[in-house]
Every structure is written in C-alpha cells, then in structure tokens.
PDB file of all heavy atoms in Angstrom:
ATOM      1  N   SER A 102     113.743  99.087 112.340  1.00  0.00           N
ATOM      2  CA  SER A 102     113.910  98.170 113.464  1.00  0.00           C
ATOM      3  C   SER A 102     113.259  96.809 113.233  1.00  0.00           C
ATOM      4  O   SER A 102     113.591  95.842 113.927  1.00  0.00           O
ATOM      5  CB  SER A 102     113.345  98.795 114.737  1.00  0.00           C
ATOM      6  OG  SER A 102     111.969  99.097 114.573  1.00  0.00           O
ATOM      7  N   VAL A 103     112.340  96.718 112.271  1.00  0.00           N
ATOM      8  CA  VAL A 103     111.645  95.442 112.035  1.00  0.00           C
ATOM      9  C   VAL A 103     111.885  94.898 110.640  1.00  0.00           C
ATOM     10  O   VAL A 103     111.447  93.782 110.336  1.00  0.00           O
ATOM     11  CB  VAL A 103     110.123  95.587 112.281  1.00  0.00           C
ATOM     12  CG1 VAL A 103     109.863  96.170 113.665  1.00  0.00           C
ATOM     13  CG2 VAL A 103     109.451  96.417 111.206  1.00  0.00           C
ATOM     14  N   LYS A 104     112.573  95.656 109.810  1.00  0.00           N
ATOM     15  CA  LYS A 104     112.802  95.243 108.434  1.00  0.00           C
ATOM     16  C   LYS A 104     113.555  93.912 108.412  1.00  0.00           C
ATOM     17  O   LYS A 104     114.545  93.726 109.110  1.00  0.00           O
ATOM     18  CB  LYS A 104     113.599  96.329 107.708  1.00  0.00           C
ATOM     19  CG  LYS A 104     113.464  96.308 106.210  1.00  0.00           C
ATOM     20  CD  LYS A 104     114.080  97.555 105.605  1.00  0.00           C
ATOM     21  CE  LYS A 104     113.309  98.808 105.971  1.00  0.00           C
ATOM     22  NZ  LYS A 104     113.862 100.026 105.337  1.00  0.00           N
ATOM     23  N   GLY A 105     113.058  92.993 107.610  1.00  0.00           N
ATOM     24  CA  GLY A 105     113.670  91.679 107.524  1.00  0.00           C
ATOM     25  C   GLY A 105     113.130  90.681 108.529  1.00  0.00           C
ATOM     26  O   GLY A 105     113.382  89.473 108.400  1.00  0.00           O
ATOM     27  N   ARG A 106     112.381  91.157 109.514  1.00  0.00           N
ATOM     28  CA  ARG A 106     111.798  90.256 110.522  1.00  0.00           C
ATOM     29  C   ARG A 106     110.279  90.226 110.457  1.00  0.00           C
ATOM     30  O   ARG A 106     109.667  89.196 110.746  1.00  0.00           O
ATOM     31  CB  ARG A 106     112.224  90.700 111.925  1.00  0.00           C
ATOM     32  CG  ARG A 106     113.717  90.685 112.167  1.00  0.00           C
ATOM     33  CD  ARG A 106     114.057  90.946 113.636  1.00  0.00           C
ATOM     34  NE  ARG A 106     113.613  92.262 114.088  1.00  0.00           N
ATOM     35  CZ  ARG A 106     112.779  92.450 115.113  1.00  0.00           C
ATOM     36  NH1 ARG A 106     112.294  91.411 115.775  1.00  0.00           N
ATOM     37  NH2 ARG A 106     112.437  93.675 115.482  1.00  0.00           N
ATOM     38  N   PHE A 107     109.684  91.339 110.098  1.00  0.00           N
ATOM     39  CA  PHE A 107     108.218  91.452 110.039  1.00  0.00           C
ATOM     40  C   PHE A 107     107.772  91.499 108.579  1.00  0.00           C
ATOM     41  O   PHE A 107     108.499  92.009 107.713  1.00  0.00           O
ATOM     42  CB  PHE A 107     107.741  92.709 110.746  1.00  0.00           C
ATOM     43  CG  PHE A 107     107.893  92.714 112.244  1.00  0.00           C
ATOM     44  CD1 PHE A 107     108.637  91.747 112.915  1.00  0.00           C
ATOM     45  CD2 PHE A 107     107.281  93.704 112.993  1.00  0.00           C
ATOM     46  CE1 PHE A 107     108.780  91.760 114.288  1.00  0.00           C
ATOM     47  CE2 PHE A 107     107.411  93.738 114.373  1.00  0.00           C
ATOM     48  CZ  PHE A 107     108.163  92.763 115.021  1.00  0.00           C
ATOM     49  N   ALA A 108     106.572  91.004 108.331  1.00  0.00           N
ATOM     50  CA  ALA A 108     105.997  91.059 106.988  1.00  0.00           C
ATOM     51  C   ALA A 108     104.521  91.410 107.091  1.00  0.00           C
ATOM     52  O   ALA A 108     103.783  90.771 107.855  1.00  0.00           O
ATOM     53  CB  ALA A 108     106.176  89.738 106.267  1.00  0.00           C
ATOM     54  N   ILE A 109     104.105  92.401 106.327  1.00  0.00           N
ATOM     55  CA  ILE A 109     102.711  92.825 106.320  1.00  0.00           C
ATOM     56  C   ILE A 109     102.046  92.309 105.056  1.00  0.00           C
ATOM     57  O   ILE A 109     102.670  92.246 103.991  1.00  0.00           O
ATOM     58  CB  ILE A 109     102.605  94.368 106.420  1.00  0.00           C
ATOM     59  CG1 ILE A 109     101.169  94.789 106.707  1.00  0.00           C
ATOM     60  CG2 ILE A 109     103.159  95.039 105.176  1.00  0.00           C
ATOM     61  CD1 ILE A 109     101.052  96.276 107.086  1.00  0.00           C
ATOM     62  N   SER A 110     100.786  91.917 105.191  1.00  0.00           N
ATOM     63  CA  SER A 110     100.042  91.443 104.030  1.00  0.00           C
ATOM     64  C   SER A 110      98.576  91.781 104.208  1.00  0.00           C
ATOM     65  O   SER A 110      98.137  92.159 105.306  1.00  0.00           O
ATOM     66  CB  SER A 110     100.232  89.936 103.844  1.00  0.00           C
ATOM     67  OG  SER A 110      99.752  89.230 104.985  1.00  0.00           O
ATOM     68  N   ARG A 111      97.829  91.621 103.121  1.00  0.00           N
ATOM     69  CA  ARG A 111      96.412  92.000 103.162  1.00  0.00           C
ATOM     70  C   ARG A 111      95.587  90.978 102.410  1.00  0.00           C
ATOM     71  O   ARG A 111      95.969  90.516 101.330  1.00  0.00           O
ATOM     72  CB  ARG A 111      96.233  93.381 102.522  1.00  0.00           C
ATOM     73  CG  ARG A 111      94.784  93.855 102.379  1.00  0.00           C
ATOM     74  CD  ARG A 111      94.732  95.231 101.769  1.00  0.00           C
ATOM     75  NE  ARG A 111      93.361  95.696 101.577  1.00  0.00           N
ATOM     76  CZ  ARG A 111      92.775  95.782 100.406  1.00  0.00           C
ATOM     77  NH1 ARG A 111      93.431  95.456  99.298  1.00  0.00           N
ATOM     78  NH2 ARG A 111      91.518  96.220 100.307  1.00  0.00           N
ATOM     79  N   ASP A 112      94.456  90.624 102.996  1.00  0.00           N
ATOM     80  CA  ASP A 112      93.457  89.791 102.336  1.00  0.00           C
ATOM     81  C   ASP A 112      92.275  90.710 102.052  1.00  0.00           C
ATOM     82  O   ASP A 112      91.485  91.008 102.961  1.00  0.00           O
ATOM     83  CB  ASP A 112      93.060  88.615 103.229  1.00  0.00           C
ATOM     84  CG  ASP A 112      92.106  87.670 102.540  1.00  0.00           C
ATOM     85  OD1 ASP A 112      91.346  88.093 101.638  1.00  0.00           O
ATOM     86  OD2 ASP A 112      92.095  86.483 102.904  1.00  0.00           O
ATOM     87  N   SER A 113      92.163  91.171 100.818  1.00  0.00           N
ATOM     88  CA  SER A 113      91.130  92.147 100.489  1.00  0.00           C
ATOM     89  C   SER A 113      89.731  91.562 100.619  1.00  0.00           C
ATOM     90  O   SER A 113      88.791  92.269 100.983  1.00  0.00           O
ATOM     91  CB  SER A 113      91.346  92.675  99.070  1.00  0.00           C
ATOM     92  OG  SER A 113      91.298  91.621  98.134  1.00  0.00           O
ATOM     93  N   ALA A 114      89.588  90.283 100.354  1.00  0.00           N
ATOM     94  CA  ALA A 114      88.270  89.647 100.445  1.00  0.00           C
ATOM     95  C   ALA A 114      87.754  89.634 101.882  1.00  0.00           C
ATOM     96  O   ALA A 114      86.549  89.674 102.122  1.00  0.00           O
ATOM     97  CB  ALA A 114      88.329  88.238  99.887  1.00  0.00           C
ATOM     98  N   LYS A 115      88.676  89.578 102.823  1.00  0.00           N
ATOM     99  CA  LYS A 115      88.307  89.539 104.241  1.00  0.00           C
ATOM    100  C   LYS A 115      88.470  90.888 104.918  1.00  0.00           C
ATOM    101  O   LYS A 115      88.210  91.011 106.121  1.00  0.00           O
ATOM    102  CB  LYS A 115      89.166  88.501 104.974  1.00  0.00           C
ATOM    103  CG  LYS A 115      88.950  87.072 104.498  1.00  0.00           C
ATOM    104  CD  LYS A 115      89.804  86.110 105.306  1.00  0.00           C
ATOM    105  CE  LYS A 115      89.573  84.676 104.855  1.00  0.00           C
ATOM    106  NZ  LYS A 115      90.415  83.719 105.613  1.00  0.00           N
ATOM    107  N   ASN A 116      88.911  91.897 104.168  1.00  0.00           N
ATOM    108  CA  ASN A 116      89.183  93.220 104.776  1.00  0.00           C
ATOM    109  C   ASN A 116      90.076  93.080 105.993  1.00  0.00           C
ATOM    110  O   ASN A 116      89.832  93.681 107.051  1.00  0.00           O
ATOM    111  CB  ASN A 116      87.891  93.932 105.151  1.00  0.00           C
ATOM    112  CG  ASN A 116      87.251  94.628 103.969  1.00  0.00           C
ATOM    113  OD1 ASN A 116      87.942  95.113 103.076  1.00  0.00           O
ATOM    114  ND2 ASN A 116      85.932  94.663 103.939  1.00  0.00           N
ATOM    115  N   THR A 117      91.093  92.277 105.856  1.00  0.00           N
ATOM    116  CA  THR A 117      91.976  91.978 106.978  1.00  0.00           C
ATOM    117  C   THR A 117      93.430  92.189 106.574  1.00  0.00           C
ATOM    118  O   THR A 117      93.831  91.812 105.474  1.00  0.00           O
ATOM    119  CB  THR A 117      91.769  90.530 107.457  1.00  0.00           C
ATOM    120  OG1 THR A 117      90.413  90.388 107.908  1.00  0.00           O
ATOM    121  CG2 THR A 117      92.707  90.191 108.605  1.00  0.00           C
ATOM    122  N   VAL A 118      94.177  92.780 107.476  1.00  0.00           N
ATOM    123  CA  VAL A 118      95.612  92.967 107.294  1.00  0.00           C
ATOM    124  C   VAL A 118      96.328  92.158 108.364  1.00  0.00           C
ATOM    125  O   VAL A 118      95.874  92.087 109.515  1.00  0.00           O
ATOM    126  CB  VAL A 118      95.998  94.455 107.397  1.00  0.00           C
ATOM    127  CG1 VAL A 118      97.500  94.623 107.463  1.00  0.00           C
ATOM    128  CG2 VAL A 118      95.446  95.211 106.201  1.00  0.00           C
ATOM    129  N   TYR A 119      97.426  91.554 107.966  1.00  0.00           N
ATOM    130  CA  TYR A 119      98.204  90.702 108.871  1.00  0.00           C
ATOM    131  C   TYR A 119      99.597  91.289 109.069  1.00  0.00           C
ATOM    132  O   TYR A 119     100.152  91.920 108.172  1.00  0.00           O
ATOM    133  CB  TYR A 119      98.326  89.301 108.303  1.00  0.00           C
ATOM    134  CG  TYR A 119      96.998  88.644 108.003  1.00  0.00           C
ATOM    135  CD1 TYR A 119      96.465  88.670 106.724  1.00  0.00           C
ATOM    136  CD2 TYR A 119      96.270  88.015 109.016  1.00  0.00           C
ATOM    137  CE1 TYR A 119      95.240  88.079 106.444  1.00  0.00           C
ATOM    138  CE2 TYR A 119      95.042  87.418 108.739  1.00  0.00           C
ATOM    139  CZ  TYR A 119      94.535  87.462 107.453  1.00  0.00           C
ATOM    140  OH  TYR A 119      93.324  86.880 107.188  1.00  0.00           O
ATOM    141  N   LEU A 120     100.147  91.033 110.236  1.00  0.00           N
ATOM    142  CA  LEU A 120     101.532  91.375 110.498  1.00  0.00           C
ATOM    143  C   LEU A 120     102.210  90.115 111.036  1.00  0.00           C
ATOM    144  O   LEU A 120     101.971  89.720 112.183  1.00  0.00           O
ATOM    145  CB  LEU A 120     101.661  92.522 111.500  1.00  0.00           C
ATOM    146  CG  LEU A 120     103.079  93.011 111.729  1.00  0.00           C
ATOM    147  CD1 LEU A 120     103.625  93.689 110.461  1.00  0.00           C
ATOM    148  CD2 LEU A 120     103.145  93.983 112.902  1.00  0.00           C
ATOM    149  N   GLN A 121     103.002  89.493 110.193  1.00  0.00           N
ATOM    150  CA  GLN A 121     103.771  88.323 110.611  1.00  0.00           C
ATOM    151  C   GLN A 121     105.060  88.799 111.249  1.00  0.00           C
ATOM    152  O   GLN A 121     105.847  89.503 110.609  1.00  0.00           O
ATOM    153  CB  GLN A 121     104.073  87.443 109.405  1.00  0.00           C
ATOM    154  CG  GLN A 121     104.911  86.218 109.731  1.00  0.00           C
ATOM    155  CD  GLN A 121     104.187  85.226 110.611  1.00  0.00           C
ATOM    156  OE1 GLN A 121     103.021  84.936 110.413  1.00  0.00           O
ATOM    157  NE2 GLN A 121     104.892  84.708 111.614  1.00  0.00           N
ATOM    158  N   MET A 122     105.261  88.425 112.487  1.00  0.00           N
ATOM    159  CA  MET A 122     106.426  88.886 113.235  1.00  0.00           C
ATOM    160  C   MET A 122     107.303  87.688 113.576  1.00  0.00           C
ATOM    161  O   MET A 122     106.877  86.795 114.312  1.00  0.00           O
ATOM    162  CB  MET A 122     105.980  89.606 114.513  1.00  0.00           C
ATOM    163  CG  MET A 122     105.009  90.743 114.262  1.00  0.00           C
ATOM    164  SD  MET A 122     104.629  91.710 115.727  1.00  0.00           S
ATOM    165  CE  MET A 122     103.831  90.474 116.742  1.00  0.00           C
ATOM    166  N   ASN A 123     108.503  87.675 113.041  1.00  0.00           N
ATOM    167  CA  ASN A 123     109.449  86.594 113.275  1.00  0.00           C
ATOM    168  C   ASN A 123     110.672  87.123 114.015  1.00  0.00           C
ATOM    169  O   ASN A 123     110.898  88.329 114.074  1.00  0.00           O
ATOM    170  CB  ASN A 123     109.881  85.981 111.942  1.00  0.00           C
ATOM    171  CG  ASN A 123     108.718  85.392 111.164  1.00  0.00           C
ATOM    172  OD1 ASN A 123     107.780  84.842 111.739  1.00  0.00           O
ATOM    173  ND2 ASN A 123     108.770  85.505 109.841  1.00  0.00           N
ATOM    174  N   SER A 124     111.437  86.205 114.555  1.00  0.00           N
ATOM    175  CA  SER A 124     112.672  86.572 115.272  1.00  0.00           C
ATOM    176  C   SER A 124     112.410  87.688 116.275  1.00  0.00           C
ATOM    177  O   SER A 124     113.150  88.678 116.335  1.00  0.00           O
ATOM    178  CB  SER A 124     113.758  87.007 114.267  1.00  0.00           C
ATOM    179  OG  SER A 124     114.021  85.971 113.348  1.00  0.00           O
ATOM    180  N   LEU A 125     111.379  87.522 117.053  1.00  0.00           N
ATOM    181  CA  LEU A 125     110.980  88.559 117.993  1.00  0.00           C
ATOM    182  C   LEU A 125     112.028  88.770 119.071  1.00  0.00           C
ATOM    183  O   LEU A 125     112.702  87.819 119.502  1.00  0.00           O
ATOM    184  CB  LEU A 125     109.634  88.205 118.618  1.00  0.00           C
ATOM    185  CG  LEU A 125     108.436  88.479 117.701  1.00  0.00           C
ATOM    186  CD1 LEU A 125     107.206  87.719 118.172  1.00  0.00           C
ATOM    187  CD2 LEU A 125     108.143  89.971 117.631  1.00  0.00           C
ATOM    188  N   LYS A 126     112.142  90.023 119.489  1.00  0.00           N
ATOM    189  CA  LYS A 126     113.109  90.428 120.505  1.00  0.00           C
ATOM    190  C   LYS A 126     112.355  91.049 121.677  1.00  0.00           C
ATOM    191  O   LYS A 126     111.249  91.566 121.507  1.00  0.00           O
ATOM    192  CB  LYS A 126     114.065  91.461 119.923  1.00  0.00           C
ATOM    193  CG  LYS A 126     114.773  91.032 118.660  1.00  0.00           C
ATOM    194  CD  LYS A 126     115.599  92.173 118.080  1.00  0.00           C
ATOM    195  CE  LYS A 126     116.289  91.783 116.785  1.00  0.00           C
ATOM    196  NZ  LYS A 126     117.087  92.902 116.234  1.00  0.00           N
ATOM    197  N   PRO A 127     112.959  91.063 122.856  1.00  0.00           N
ATOM    198  CA  PRO A 127     112.301  91.712 124.000  1.00  0.00           C
ATOM    199  C   PRO A 127     111.921  93.161 123.720  1.00  0.00           C
ATOM    200  O   PRO A 127     110.898  93.642 124.215  1.00  0.00           O
ATOM    201  CB  PRO A 127     113.345  91.596 125.101  1.00  0.00           C
ATOM    202  CG  PRO A 127     114.104  90.353 124.771  1.00  0.00           C
ATOM    203  CD  PRO A 127     114.188  90.353 123.267  1.00  0.00           C
ATOM    204  N   GLU A 128     112.707  93.844 122.904  1.00  0.00           N
ATOM    205  CA  GLU A 128     112.400  95.250 122.597  1.00  0.00           C
ATOM    206  C   GLU A 128     111.200  95.403 121.673  1.00  0.00           C
ATOM    207  O   GLU A 128     110.755  96.523 121.417  1.00  0.00           O
ATOM    208  CB  GLU A 128     113.623  95.959 121.997  1.00  0.00           C
ATOM    209  CG  GLU A 128     114.267  95.230 120.844  1.00  0.00           C
ATOM    210  CD  GLU A 128     115.462  94.394 121.292  1.00  0.00           C
ATOM    211  OE1 GLU A 128     115.359  93.704 122.334  1.00  0.00           O
ATOM    212  OE2 GLU A 128     116.495  94.421 120.573  1.00  0.00           O
ATOM    213  N   ASP A 129     110.663  94.321 121.171  1.00  0.00           N
ATOM    214  CA  ASP A 129     109.420  94.367 120.395  1.00  0.00           C
ATOM    215  C   ASP A 129     108.186  94.376 121.303  1.00  0.00           C
ATOM    216  O   ASP A 129     107.065  94.533 120.816  1.00  0.00           O
ATOM    217  CB  ASP A 129     109.322  93.161 119.451  1.00  0.00           C
ATOM    218  CG  ASP A 129     110.383  93.180 118.368  1.00  0.00           C
ATOM    219  OD1 ASP A 129     110.636  94.259 117.797  1.00  0.00           O
ATOM    220  OD2 ASP A 129     110.954  92.105 118.087  1.00  0.00           O
ATOM    221  N   THR A 130     108.402  94.201 122.583  1.00  0.00           N
ATOM    222  CA  THR A 130     107.288  94.216 123.531  1.00  0.00           C
ATOM    223  C   THR A 130     106.584  95.562 123.513  1.00  0.00           C
ATOM    224  O   THR A 130     107.213  96.606 123.675  1.00  0.00           O
ATOM    225  CB  THR A 130     107.797  93.906 124.955  1.00  0.00           C
ATOM    226  OG1 THR A 130     108.309  92.575 124.992  1.00  0.00           O
ATOM    227  CG2 THR A 130     106.678  94.056 125.974  1.00  0.00           C
ATOM    228  N   ALA A 131     105.277  95.523 123.292  1.00  0.00           N
ATOM    229  CA  ALA A 131     104.497  96.751 123.186  1.00  0.00           C
ATOM    230  C   ALA A 131     103.038  96.392 122.952  1.00  0.00           C
ATOM    231  O   ALA A 131     102.708  95.228 122.690  1.00  0.00           O
ATOM    232  CB  ALA A 131     104.993  97.613 122.025  1.00  0.00           C
ATOM    233  N   VAL A 132     102.189  97.409 123.019  1.00  0.00           N
ATOM    234  CA  VAL A 132     100.834  97.266 122.514  1.00  0.00           C
ATOM    235  C   VAL A 132     100.871  97.646 121.043  1.00  0.00           C
ATOM    236  O   VAL A 132     101.378  98.708 120.689  1.00  0.00           O
ATOM    237  CB  VAL A 132      99.845  98.160 123.286  1.00  0.00           C
ATOM    238  CG1 VAL A 132      98.445  98.037 122.678  1.00  0.00           C
ATOM    239  CG2 VAL A 132      99.829  97.794 124.760  1.00  0.00           C
ATOM    240  N   TYR A 133     100.335  96.766 120.209  1.00  0.00           N
ATOM    241  CA  TYR A 133     100.343  96.982 118.772  1.00  0.00           C
ATOM    242  C   TYR A 133      98.957  97.448 118.326  1.00  0.00           C
ATOM    243  O   TYR A 133      97.947  96.802 118.649  1.00  0.00           O
ATOM    244  CB  TYR A 133     100.736  95.706 118.048  1.00  0.00           C
ATOM    245  CG  TYR A 133     102.225  95.444 118.111  1.00  0.00           C
ATOM    246  CD1 TYR A 133     102.831  95.086 119.313  1.00  0.00           C
ATOM    247  CD2 TYR A 133     103.024  95.575 116.981  1.00  0.00           C
ATOM    248  CE1 TYR A 133     104.203  94.866 119.386  1.00  0.00           C
ATOM    249  CE2 TYR A 133     104.392  95.359 117.037  1.00  0.00           C
ATOM    250  CZ  TYR A 133     104.975  95.005 118.249  1.00  0.00           C
ATOM    251  OH  TYR A 133     106.330  94.795 118.311  1.00  0.00           O
ATOM    252  N   TYR A 134      98.949  98.546 117.586  1.00  0.00           N
ATOM    253  CA  TYR A 134      97.716  99.144 117.118  1.00  0.00           C
ATOM    254  C   TYR A 134      97.639  99.082 115.598  1.00  0.00           C
ATOM    255  O   TYR A 134      98.624  99.358 114.901  1.00  0.00           O
ATOM    256  CB  TYR A 134      97.628 100.604 117.545  1.00  0.00           C
ATOM    257  CG  TYR A 134      97.596 100.830 119.027  1.00  0.00           C
ATOM    258  CD1 TYR A 134      98.762 101.012 119.757  1.00  0.00           C
ATOM    259  CD2 TYR A 134      96.379 100.869 119.700  1.00  0.00           C
ATOM    260  CE1 TYR A 134      98.736 101.215 121.119  1.00  0.00           C
ATOM    261  CE2 TYR A 134      96.336 101.080 121.069  1.00  0.00           C
ATOM    262  CZ  TYR A 134      97.517 101.248 121.769  1.00  0.00           C
ATOM    263  OH  TYR A 134      97.478 101.453 123.132  1.00  0.00           O
ATOM    264  N   CYS A 135      96.463  98.788 115.123  1.00  0.00           N
ATOM    265  CA  CYS A 135      96.167  98.816 113.705  1.00  0.00           C
ATOM    266  C   CYS A 135      95.465 100.125 113.388  1.00  0.00           C
ATOM    267  O   CYS A 135      94.690 100.638 114.224  1.00  0.00           O
ATOM    268  CB  CYS A 135      95.273  97.621 113.366  1.00  0.00           C
ATOM    269  SG  CYS A 135      94.625  97.590 111.712  1.00  0.00           S
ATOM    270  N   ALA A 136      95.709 100.657 112.187  1.00  0.00           N
ATOM    271  CA  ALA A 136      95.074 101.912 111.801  1.00  0.00           C
ATOM    272  C   ALA A 136      94.766 101.889 110.314  1.00  0.00           C
ATOM    273  O   ALA A 136      95.447 101.209 109.551  1.00  0.00           O
ATOM    274  CB  ALA A 136      95.977 103.090 112.143  1.00  0.00           C
ATOM    275  N   ALA A 137      93.756 102.657 109.927  1.00  0.00           N
ATOM    276  CA  ALA A 137      93.339 102.725 108.530  1.00  0.00           C
ATOM    277  C   ALA A 137      93.401 104.164 108.033  1.00  0.00           C
ATOM    278  O   ALA A 137      93.077 105.096 108.780  1.00  0.00           O
ATOM    279  CB  ALA A 137      91.921 102.181 108.372  1.00  0.00           C
ATOM    280  N   ALA A 138      93.800 104.315 106.772  1.00  0.00           N
ATOM    281  CA  ALA A 138      93.963 105.643 106.199  1.00  0.00           C
ATOM    282  C   ALA A 138      93.241 105.761 104.863  1.00  0.00           C
ATOM    283  O   ALA A 138      93.170 104.791 104.111  1.00  0.00           O
ATOM    284  CB  ALA A 138      95.442 105.955 106.016  1.00  0.00           C
ATOM    285  N   LYS A 139      92.771 106.957 104.564  1.00  0.00           N
ATOM    286  CA  LYS A 139      92.113 107.232 103.290  1.00  0.00           C
ATOM    287  C   LYS A 139      93.064 107.857 102.292  1.00  0.00           C
ATOM    288  O   LYS A 139      92.688 108.150 101.156  1.00  0.00           O
ATOM    289  CB  LYS A 139      90.898 108.129 103.519  1.00  0.00           C
ATOM    290  CG  LYS A 139      89.805 107.465 104.346  1.00  0.00           C
ATOM    291  CD  LYS A 139      88.635 108.382 104.561  1.00  0.00           C
ATOM    292  CE  LYS A 139      87.510 107.672 105.301  1.00  0.00           C
ATOM    293  NZ  LYS A 139      87.938 107.148 106.621  1.00  0.00           N
ATOM    294  N   SER A 140      94.283 108.101 102.736  1.00  0.00           N
ATOM    295  CA  SER A 140      95.312 108.634 101.860  1.00  0.00           C
ATOM    296  C   SER A 140      96.589 107.842 102.095  1.00  0.00           C
ATOM    297  O   SER A 140      96.875 107.423 103.218  1.00  0.00           O
ATOM    298  CB  SER A 140      95.554 110.113 102.148  1.00  0.00           C
ATOM    299  OG  SER A 140      96.713 110.568 101.465  1.00  0.00           O
ATOM    300  N   ALA A 141      97.351 107.649 101.032  1.00  0.00           N
ATOM    301  CA  ALA A 141      98.604 106.890 101.144  1.00  0.00           C
ATOM    302  C   ALA A 141      99.802 107.796 101.379  1.00  0.00           C
ATOM    303  O   ALA A 141     100.937 107.324 101.392  1.00  0.00           O
ATOM    304  CB  ALA A 141      98.822 106.070  99.876  1.00  0.00           C
TER     305      ALA A 141
END
C-alpha cells in the first residue's frame, strides 16, 4: 500500500530511522509506531 510513495532510511551515527512519506492519501491517516528488533 505504500510502495513507491514511502522511503525508509537510517542514520547509524544518530541511531535514527526516517520514514519519508510522499503522495499521502487520506487512507494513510493513522498513528505511526516505530519499533526495534534484535532479529531480522
């Protein structure tokens, strides 16, 4: 549902992950949660 519109990236030096969201639609309305995992 977000492929081609959203892009995820990471700045390892800042321990920060970004989610760039473009071409947003009303159906993208939500609470967005970040999560971390120890396994891929």
Side-chain angles (χ1 to χ4, degrees):
S102 59
V103 306
K104 202 170 293 183
R106 299 188 298 122
F107 291 11
I109 192 169
S110 61
R111 175 179 178 253
D112 184 333
S113 60
K115 296 182 179 179
N116 278 327
T117 298
V118 170
Y119 304 97
L120 185 67
Q121 178 67 43
M122 305 187 297
N123 299 325
S124 302
L125 282 162
K126 305 174 182 180
E128 51 263 44
D129 294 317
T130 295
V132 177
Y133 283 70
Y134 297 90
C135 172
K139 295 179 176 58
S140 170

